């Protein structure tokens, strides 16, 4: 490796990977998935040297094991069970699950194939590695880090002087961070200044390693993969009912704990068909990740009210491409009607003098079958089979028009 090791702990993953991982272990351990990397930037090229460094970093990541201290920390998370921790005591990443090449227009292809238990855990560390390798090897990193520190200080000052009042927010930037040291600095500084903010509080981070190190809450429930695989990974299921299968399995695992549901995997309108009184009562709130957040917030409040549920008892967690200005506007709009919280990623973890990468790694197959996300923002779906996207879209549309 030319660079220092980027991922140094298996806890260096988003919390929702462990939340979903426990459910996968207990209910879907036989499922197999394929994950595919995509760089959405059209002007980005990964050199052969970068690709070799990415391979070396992923090999190093695959050599890691959980320590007993890390496992004890996980077991003390309220909803994590000892049986899953015992599994993690034996678990290790497998480099053999990775296929890394140079065939794409951007110069980098990555696929992971294997058990859902394994491949789900690879997404976030892989993206963090790709991102940090690119920014360290493509730019003057010291210049970027200096601009990052300057912009972070400005963000903190605007929370201190009340320019922005966010209420509770968490840092969600591991997958696209400038570097490990940049993300840690951001979490450390944002939390250290909580006492100085007028009406804001950084209450946690999605990065479990940093949550443990800086004694803040590890934040994260479910991602799109959960709804895609539980709903579309069984050919007997109608994929327009994916949310029902996902919510049902989640409640079986957690009851009323760990209950923030993701709404937009196959559109929020279709989600609401299944998010009726039982699930709306059991889940403590919902997360926004695509589409107009203001329209979504109004839709969710109206949904709760129509069910006779007081929206003030529920949380709307916004997490789509947020900066402090947008979060401030959202809170002003909704704070007197519902509990508002934010998960803020790239704007915190990779705000520099250069544009961030727009990279993703998505589930593209489950149990040998195509899977897809049809979000509230057109064009965000990622699937290898356009015919399947058309089929899924028609299933959703039929249900919206006929399922009363």
């Amino acid at each position: 490796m030319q660079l220092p090791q980027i991922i140094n702990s298996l806890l260096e993953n988003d919390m929702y990977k462990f939340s979903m991982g426990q459910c996968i272990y207990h209910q879907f351990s036989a499922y197999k998935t394929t994950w595919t990397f995509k760089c959405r930037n059209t002007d980005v090229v990964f050199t052969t040297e970068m690709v070799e460094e990415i391979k070396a970093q992923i090999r190093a990541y695959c050599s890691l094991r959980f320590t007993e201290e890390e496992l004890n920390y996980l077991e003390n998370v309220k909803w994590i069970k000892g049986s899953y921790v015992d599994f993690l005591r034996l678990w290790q990443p497998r480099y053999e699950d990775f296929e890394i090449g140079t065939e794409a227009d951007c110069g980098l292809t990555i696929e992971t194939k294997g058990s859902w238990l394994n491949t789900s855990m690879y997404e976030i560390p892989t993206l963090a590695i790709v991102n940090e390798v690119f920014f360290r090897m493509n730019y003057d990193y010291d210049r970027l880090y200096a601009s990052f520190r300057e912009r972070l200080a400005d963000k903190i000052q605007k929370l201190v002087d009340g320019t922005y009042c966010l209420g509770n927010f968490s840092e969600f930037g591991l997958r696209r961070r400038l570097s490990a040291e940049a993300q840690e600095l951001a979490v450390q500084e944002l939390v250290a200044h909580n006492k100085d903010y007028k009406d804001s509080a950084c209450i946690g981070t999605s990065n479990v390693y940093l949550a443990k190190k800086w004694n803040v809450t590890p934040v994260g429930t479910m991602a799109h993969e959960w709804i895609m695989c539980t709903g579309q990974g069984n050919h007997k299921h109608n994929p327009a009912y994916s949310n029902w299968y996902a919510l049902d399995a989640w409640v079986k695992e957690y009851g009323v704990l760990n209950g923030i549901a993701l709404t937009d995997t196959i559109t929020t309108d279709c989600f609401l068909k299944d998010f009726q009184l039982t699930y709306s009562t059991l889940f403590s709130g919902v997360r926004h990740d695509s589409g107009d957040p203001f329209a979504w917030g109004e839709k969710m409040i109206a949904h709760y009210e129509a069910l006779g549920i007081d929206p003030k008892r529920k949380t709307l967690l916004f997490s789509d491409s947020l900066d402090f200005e947008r979060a401030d506007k959202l809170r002003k709009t909704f704070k007197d009607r519902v509990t508002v919280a934010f998960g803020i990623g790239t704007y915190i973890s990779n705000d520099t003098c250069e544009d961030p990468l727009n990279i993703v790694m998505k589930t593209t197959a489950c149990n040998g079958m195509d899977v897809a996300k049809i979000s509230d923002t057109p064009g965000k779906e990622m699937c290898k089979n356009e015919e399947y996207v058309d089929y899924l879209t028609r299933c959703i549309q039929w249900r919206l028009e006929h399922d009363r």
Side-chain angles (χ1 to χ4, degrees):
M1 292 189 301
Q2 297 184 40
L3 303 176
Q5 187 164 335
I6 291 171
I7 302 295
N8 290 281
S9 166
L10 292 181
L11 277 190
E12 208 160 355
N13 211 329
D14 280 345
M15 184 64 217
Y16 67 16
K17 289 297 183 177
F18 296 100
S19 296
M20 292 185 294
Q22 178 168 288
C23 294
I24 296 166
Y25 175 63
H26 288 144
Q27 300 182 51
F28 302 96
S29 59
Y31 275 36
K32 305 286 187 181
T33 54
T34 298
W35 292 69
T36 305
F37 169 84
K38 182 177 182 179
C39 179
R40 292 171 173 160
N41 304 77
T42 58
D43 58 346
V44 164
V45 175
F46 291 86
T47 65
T48 302
E49 188 180 31
M50 290 179 192
V51 175
E52 291 305 311
E53 181 65 20
I54 289 165
K55 290 179 180 178
Q57 291 286 345
I58 291 175
R59 283 194 194 95
Y61 157 69
C62 290
S63 72
L64 296 171
R65 303 293 179 269
F66 284 104
T67 68
E68 284 303 310
E69 182 184 5
E70 291 169 340
L71 293 168
N72 288 336
Y73 174 81
L74 279 175
E75 194 159 11
N76 283 317
V77 175
K78 184 163 54 175
W79 57 83
I80 296 297
K81 299 172 183 175
S83 57
Y84 178 55
V85 173
D86 281 342
F87 163 75
L88 292 178
R89 186 169 280 112
L90 303 174
W91 183 79
Q92 62 188 70
R94 297 179 71 252
Y95 188 73
E96 294 78 8
D97 291 342
F98 289 81
E99 297 177 3
I100 305 171
T102 60
E103 294 79 21
D105 290 342
C106 70
L108 174 64
T109 60
I110 304 174
E111 278 204 336
T112 60
K113 298 178 180 180
S115 72
W116 190 14
L117 271 169
N118 278 3
T119 53
S120 175
M121 296 293 278
Y122 301 155
E123 175 198 1
I124 305 301
T126 298
L127 291 174
I129 285 169
V130 169
N131 212 75
E132 186 163 346
V133 166
F134 180 80
F135 281 100
R136 284 189 181 273
M137 296 182 71
N138 197 55
Y139 297 103
D140 177 349
Y141 173 79
D142 290 338
R143 177 177 67 90
L144 295 188
Y145 190 54
S147 69
F148 173 84
R149 293 197 308 270
E150 181 180 340
R151 294 179 184 212
L152 176 63
D154 181 65
K155 290 180 180 70
I156 290 171
Q157 181 56 42
K158 287 178 177 174
L159 294 179
V160 170
D161 65 25
T163 300
Y164 302 128
C165 296
L166 309 186
N168 290 337
F169 70 96
S170 299
E171 186 277 328
F172 272 23
L174 172 53
R175 72 186 62 208
R176 295 176 188 159
R177 67 188 183 186
L178 172 64
S179 63
E181 68 173 336
Q183 187 186 22
E184 180 163 1
L185 177 69
V187 170
Q188 180 183 0
E189 290 295 304
L190 285 165
V191 170
H193 286 87
N194 272 336
K195 63 184 183 300
D196 305 318
Y197 303 147
K198 284 189 182 282
D199 193 8
S200 301
C202 182
I203 62 168
T205 174
S206 63
N207 183 332
V208 183
Y209 173 80
L210 291 181
K212 175 181 180 294
K213 184 170 183 178
W214 296 105
N215 194 30
V216 295
T217 303
V219 180
T221 54
M222 65 179 70
H224 297 105
E225 66 174 280
W226 176 249
I227 297 96
M228 291 162 65
C229 293
T230 57
Q232 301 171 42
N234 184 332
H235 72 276
K236 297 178 182 178
H237 293 171
N238 181 333
Y241 291 79
S242 294
N243 288 299
W244 185 89
Y245 291 105
L247 295 171
D248 180 64
W250 200 264
V251 169
K252 285 178 181 175
E253 187 70 31
Y254 292 118
V256 297
L257 294 177
N258 200 21
I260 297 289
L262 181 59
T263 70
D264 72 327
T265 306
I266 54 170
T267 76
T268 294
D269 287 338
C270 199
F271 169 84
L272 293 179
K273 290 285 188 181
D274 294 312
F275 199 62
Q276 293 301 314
L277 185 59
T278 297
Y279 292 133
S280 289
T281 301
L282 289 173
F283 281 80
S284 58
V286 286
R287 177 161 75 92
H288 171 267
D289 200 50
S290 66
D292 183 333
F294 295 94
W296 176 87
E298 296 293 349
K299 182 178 290 188
M300 292 309 310
I301 289 172
H303 181 75
Y304 282 126
E305 289 175 341
L307 294 174
I309 296 172
D310 182 359
K312 290 182 180 179
R313 295 167 47 209
K314 299 298 181 179
T315 297
L316 301 187
L317 173 60
F318 296 89
S319 64
D320 181 34
S321 304
L322 292 177
D323 56 26
F324 283 0
E325 181 179 5
R326 196 178 201 198
D328 178 78
K329 290 178 181 176
L330 284 164
R331 183 166 183 266
K332 283 183 171 70
T333 300
F334 294 114
K335 67 182 178 68
D336 295 327
R337 302 159 61 197
V338 68
T339 300
V340 180
F342 302 101
I344 304 177
T346 308
Y347 174 73
I348 290 177
S349 68
N350 198 359
D351 185 14
T352 74
C353 54
E354 298 289 346
D355 292 335
L357 290 180
N358 187 353
I359 55 174
V360 294
M361 197 162 178
K362 298 291 186 183
T363 326
T364 50
C366 183
N367 297 331
M369 296 174 288
D370 295 298
V371 295
K373 177 183 76 168
I374 308 292
S375 75
D376 294 329
T377 299
K380 288 189 77 172
E381 66 271 0
M382 182 173 165
C383 181
K384 293 181 177 181
N385 186 344
E386 291 185 6
E387 289 184 1
Y388 179 75
V389 175
D390 178 67
Y391 163 70
L392 177 58
T393 302
R394 287 186 287 110
C395 288
I396 294 167
Q397 192 61 38
W398 190 95
R399 187 177 181 199
L400 292 175
E401 293 174 357
H402 296 89
D403 184 357
R404 306 301 180 191

